[in-house]
Amino acid sequence: MSADYNIFVTEETIEGESDGPLANKTVAVKDNISTEGVRTTCGSEMLDEYVPPYDATVVENLKAAGATIVGKANMDEFGMGSTTETSAFGPVENPVAPGRVPGGSSGGSAAAVAAGEADLALGTDTGGSVRNPAAFCGVVGIKPTYGLVSRYGLVAYANSLEQIGPLAPTVEEAAELLDVISGPDEYDATTREAGADSDYASAATGDVDGLTVGVPTELVEGADEGVRERFEETLDDLRAQGATVEEVSLPSVEHAVEAYYVIAMSEASSNLARFDGVRFGQSGGFEGNWNESFSESREAFGEEVKRRILLGTYALSAGYHDKYYKRAQDARAWVKQDFDETFADVDVVASPTMPTPPFEAGESLDDPLQMYLADANTVPVNLADLPAISVPAGTVDDGLPVGVQFVGPAFGEESIIRVGSAVEETA
Amino acid sequence: MSETSPDPEEVRHVARLARVGLDDDEVERFTDQFADILDYFETLDEVPEIERETDLANVMRPDEERECLSQDEALANASETEDGYFKGPNVS
């Protein structure tokens, strides 16, 4: 029963075409992806009655591919969280690690796959929100290259960073779903020709003979001992299959968390200005003046959302823009440069997806900064617009899942799918 | 604690700029948390200035009429409408 884990905000079946590559497959769709005629809440009280009048492009893709959508998956409010505890509809429980969070913000999507409530799921990844819950729930998750998948119909949080991505029990199934949703879209000007006639699924061969894997010490040394052990074992397995593993250095990633949060919060403060209670969302009433009604309407946001809107507003305000936003953009360019240089020497970059096993429920809610710091390994990928996959790499402490992340060069989805499938065969 | 972190009055000011209503408890919590978070953000000072790529290009399409939402669809989620328009609070 899905109710046990609070996986869905809305359980409703949307039938696709009778035939196609995903015929007979059920898919859970994160609740920030628009579904025509089916409530789309973003995990927020602000949108608890919002019913989109149109489908997101990826939802049209799912229907055309014959998939059956089984529900809208619970999530951190507007994608702002790493535990799926900031949802206005209550937290999601981790189906494979009782008492622990499922990760976030796509926690409902990952839990749906882990619990068998759906064969596949769509999540969104702004700073790790597909890979983090994939790692914590022991499933596969892919964050595509920026521009590979259309964001039309995705309710925006931080547009320059986010991509919709697949979650699945296996690398091949995740790649099949990526094949369905990738490609150019006239409604999203940031999409490219790449991915139009993709066959990512056929890259899941498990063949890593001759592949070079780079390991940045900066993303390994901060991880828990048990997580590091699983990671080292994964590297040993890859070596045994013919891959070469070498150390690389990405000094810029030491500043990735602060750069990511400054940029994401700044973009959020602008994006979420649309929620004024007039065209959609909770109304602030019609009695007072516009500013007061607007402020009142926006009391419907949860605390993490308010925190990010305020910090973003602060970082962009006169006198602080150069100090925070401009430096964060410098850091972003630096991270990009670091990865570019690294991919001149290696095919993929590997690290633990998360530095720890799943947190205990309630553990990180009181200290937002601690929660942000847990994203250290996932946010560099979004800053650099690159593709990455999280693949299960065993467990620690009696069954807590650990994920390993592989990052590829821009539009190099095949490389990360190939290496991911090799890990899976030995797990 | 950061030298420049906002005091409670400044937190209220930023909240007014962002049009987000806060209660007193939230102002108090945010003041403490913002000090920690902004302190951490200050490590961005260590980031060198970077030559940024400037190969970004705007993507335009011809300004041609095409299918869009009907008026009813566009208004369907508004809490109040009047004569086929969105209804908003007083601007003045």
Side-chain angles (χ1 to χ4, degrees):
Chain A
M1 277 294 291
S2 59
D4 292 344
Y5 307 115
N6 201 23
I7 287 171
F8 294 107
V9 175
T10 306
E11 273 189 272
E12 199 161 322
T13 303
I14 307 171
E15 297 288 351
E17 299 293 324
S18 56
D19 203 18
L22 296 183
N24 306 318
K25 295 280 190 190
T26 56
V27 184
V29 174
K30 190 176 181 181
D31 209 22
N32 57 351
I33 299 173
S34 300
T35 40
E36 183 179 348
V38 176
R39 179 170 83 135
T40 299
T41 69
C42 294
S44 182
E45 187 193 324
M46 175 63 81
L47 292 177
D48 63 356
E49 292 175 5
Y50 175 69
V51 178
Y54 66 98
D55 274 332
T57 298
V58 293
V59 169
E60 286 188 346
N61 293 338
L62 285 179
K63 288 175 166 176
T68 301
I69 295 169
V70 291
K72 302 299 298 290
N74 203 349
M75 56 182 282
D76 279 301
E77 186 176 3
F78 287 101
M80 300 180 187
S82 309
T83 63
T84 315
E85 292 174 296
T86 71
S87 170
F89 300 89
V92 174
E93 287 174 44
N94 190 323
V96 298
R100 306 276 171 156
V101 302
S105 66
S106 312
S109 301
V113 173
E117 290 288 330
D119 298 321
L120 308 164
L122 289 183
T124 60
D125 192 312
T126 310
S129 285
V130 163
R131 290 160 286 155
N132 158 341
F136 279 4
C137 291
V139 301
V140 175
I142 298 175
K143 183 265 166 196
T145 308
Y146 189 77
L148 188 75
V149 177
S150 168
R151 289 176 292 113
Y152 180 69
L154 164 65
V155 181
Y157 153 29
N159 344 38
S160 84
L161 298 160
E162 59 207 1
Q163 277 285 289
I164 296 171
L167 295 115
T170 65
V171 172
E172 188 173 4
E173 288 165 289
E176 282 169 3
L177 180 51
L178 184 59
D179 280 323
V180 166
I181 61 172
S182 64
D185 178 16
E186 63 168 326
Y187 293 115
D188 178 355
T190 62
T191 53
R192 312 275 193 99
E193 277 310 307
D197 299 304
S198 66
D199 185 6
Y200 297 125
S202 72
T205 57
D207 179 11
V208 290
D209 197 20
L211 188 92
T212 309
V213 180
V215 178
T217 44
E218 293 90 350
L219 298 183
V220 180
E221 56 198 11
D224 279 13
E225 197 185 331
V227 171
R228 276 210 313 272
E229 282 169 16
R230 292 291 88 76
F231 178 65
E232 294 298 338
E233 284 167 18
T234 303
L235 295 178
D236 287 343
D237 286 340
L238 291 172
R239 280 190 197 95
Q241 295 178 70
T244 310
V245 177
E246 59 180 66
E247 207 171 282
V248 297
S249 183
L250 297 169
S252 62
V253 301
E254 305 280 10
H255 294 287
V257 169
E258 52 269 37
Y260 167 78
Y261 274 98
V262 167
I263 293 170
M265 288 168 169
S266 298
E267 292 186 21
S269 73
S270 165
N271 273 321
L272 273 64
R274 75 193 58 184
F275 300 107
D276 56 9
V278 172
R279 290 157 300 165
F280 32 66
Q282 293 287 334
S283 171
F286 299 91
E287 298 307 318
N289 78 29
W290 185 83
N291 285 327
E292 287 162 13
S293 299
F294 195 175
S295 298
E296 203 164 305
S297 143
R298 290 153 70 79
E299 285 175 20
F301 288 137
E303 194 161 310
E304 183 60 31
V305 173
K306 288 179 181 173
R307 190 155 40 233
R308 294 195 192 191
I309 290 174
L310 262 53
L311 282 166
T313 303
Y314 184 76
L316 291 176
S317 63
Y320 296 105
H321 177 276
D322 282 4
K323 182 179 170 62
Y324 296 111
Y325 189 74
K326 189 174 164 295
R327 296 328 285 276
Q329 293 295 352
D330 278 330
R332 183 173 190 174
W334 188 19
V335 171
K336 240 180 235 200
Q337 224 172 57
D338 260 1
F339 272 108
D340 279 352
E341 284 168 18
T342 302
F343 285 123
D345 300 323
V346 303
D347 298 306
V348 296
V349 167
S351 75
T353 308
M354 296 297 289
T356 65
F359 322 127
E360 283 179 40
E363 189 181 356
S364 59
L365 276 183
D366 295 334
D367 190 345
L369 182 58
Q370 284 312 310
M371 186 165 79
Y372 303 161
L373 292 173
D375 297 341
N377 287 6
T378 51
V379 295
V381 171
N382 301 75
L383 290 173
D385 302 329
L386 298 174
I389 190 168
S390 179
V391 187
T395 59
V396 292
D397 302 337
D398 295 330
L400 302 179
V402 171
V404 170
Q405 165 178 264
F406 297 96
V407 185
F411 299 103
E413 269 74 6
E414 281 91 351
S415 313
I416 57 169
I417 287 164
R418 189 170 297 121
V419 67
S421 62
V423 170
E424 188 170 56
E425 280 179 10
T426 56
Chain B
M1 186 159 150
S2 164
E3 285 168 26
T4 56
S5 67
D7 62 27
E9 204 30 61
E10 285 168 296
V11 169
R12 284 198 179 86
H13 174 67
V14 175
R16 272 194 300 276
L17 289 177
R19 311 282 189 271
V20 173
L22 295 184
D23 60 35
D24 290 347
D25 286 351
E26 283 175 317
V27 171
E28 196 180 319
R29 270 200 304 281
F30 283 180
T31 304
D32 288 346
Q33 291 168 349
F34 287 5
D36 284 349
I37 295 167
L38 291 169
D39 201 26
Y40 187 71
F41 286 176
E42 260 171 49
T43 58
L44 285 169
D45 281 347
E46 297 158 16
V47 172
E49 278 200 35
I50 297 285
E51 284 275 325
R52 291 187 219 154
E53 286 177 40
T54 49
D55 60 353
L56 297 175
N58 280 326
V59 179
M60 304 292 198
R61 66 168 172 80
D63 185 17
E64 288 163 356
E65 216 177 282
R66 56 181 183 181
E67 250 190 86
C68 64
L69 297 179
S70 70
Q71 200 170 11
D72 282 347
E73 286 170 326
L75 293 171
N77 282 285
S79 66
E80 279 197 48
T81 63
E82 205 170 290
D83 303 330
Y85 293 97
F86 293 111
K87 185 176 172 184
N90 291 329
V91 176
S92 58

